[in-house]
Amino acid sequence: KHAVPGDVAAERQRWLDMLVQVGVQALARGEIAEAEKLAKKARRADKKAPEPGCLLGDVLRKRGQHAAAVKSYAETRSRMGLDRIAATLRENPGVIEPRDLLVMCPMKGAVLVVAREYARRGEKDLAMRAAKLAGRQLGATPTVAAVLADILCLTEGGGAADKIAVDAVQAYLAPPA
């Protein structure tokens, strides 16, 4: 309220960062209710920022409410949220239907997560279809190649997936052209 007009956005961001940081620390100490309170306060401070939604998702995940955590992460519509969705599903496969994830999180990257989830379920055709779609949408990045290799390992196994994984790591570590 008392910031110079030009500094209002910077002050709001500092306030948001502080709320999230204190919330993360509270969660690390096991103070789940306090972390939830701070996440909700941060969300009210900036409804568009992904950090409060991810912190709330972390709180829900800590409580064992994995489907609700995925929903909170998805609502952020951010790379940060997508990474946490992938981690939650890796630790708790089948928590949410892959199609529901696409509805909750309509991002291109979500298709990769869905493909991996189908592969974990043994639904090879759906996994490969989603993986191909994701590859076309996102392009040939090291991340896409690594996830596609993971999907191939889950659905096919063997050398083809290993080669893609090695190529993806090499491309990631290669110096810029």
Side-chain angles (χ1 to χ4, degrees):
K1 290 182 177 181
H2 302 294
V4 175
D7 294 337
V8 171
E11 286 300 317
R12 178 173 286 133
Q13 186 61 48
R14 274 193 282 276
W15 170 246
L16 179 69
D17 292 344
M18 187 212 51
L19 287 171
V20 170
Q21 181 182 14
V22 173
V24 168
Q25 292 168 351
L27 190 59
R29 290 190 306 269
E31 298 171 5
I32 297 172
E34 181 64 18
E36 181 178 26
K37 182 175 121 186
L38 289 161
K40 288 179 178 179
K41 191 172 192 174
R43 186 180 261 173
R44 283 191 305 273
D46 187 345
K47 291 175 180 25
K48 292 182 181 180
E51 298 87 356
C54 286
L55 176 57
L56 184 57
D58 293 345
V59 166
L60 294 165
R61 195 166 154 193
K62 189 85 157 186
R63 286 187 175 145
Q65 297 172 318
H66 304 293
V70 167
K71 184 177 183 218
S72 184
Y73 297 141
E75 287 172 353
T76 71
R77 287 182 169 67
S78 69
R79 173 67 187 248
M80 181 188 303
L82 202 53
D83 289 345
R84 283 187 165 99
I85 290 169
T88 302
L89 293 176
R90 189 172 35 256
E91 295 165 7
N92 307 281
V95 166
I96 192 161
E97 289 295 317
R99 290 178 188 195
D100 292 342
L101 178 59
L102 287 175
V103 171
M104 283 190 276
C105 188
M107 295 174 55
K108 290 178 183 176
V111 178
L112 268 181
V113 176
V114 166
R116 185 183 279 153
E117 195 63 10
Y118 278 133
R120 281 194 189 106
R121 293 171 165 216
E123 297 181 48
K124 179 181 172 183
D125 292 340
L126 288 173
M128 294 308 291
R129 198 166 78 202
K132 286 177 185 177
L133 176 63
R136 281 190 223 109
Q137 287 179 341
L138 300 169
T141 68
T143 301
V144 169
V147 173
L148 292 177
D150 188 33
I151 291 165
L152 282 173
C153 282
L154 290 166
T155 58
E156 303 285 338
D162 292 340
K163 179 170 179 7
I164 290 173
V166 168
D167 290 348
V169 170
Q170 287 175 342
Y172 183 75
L173 297 176

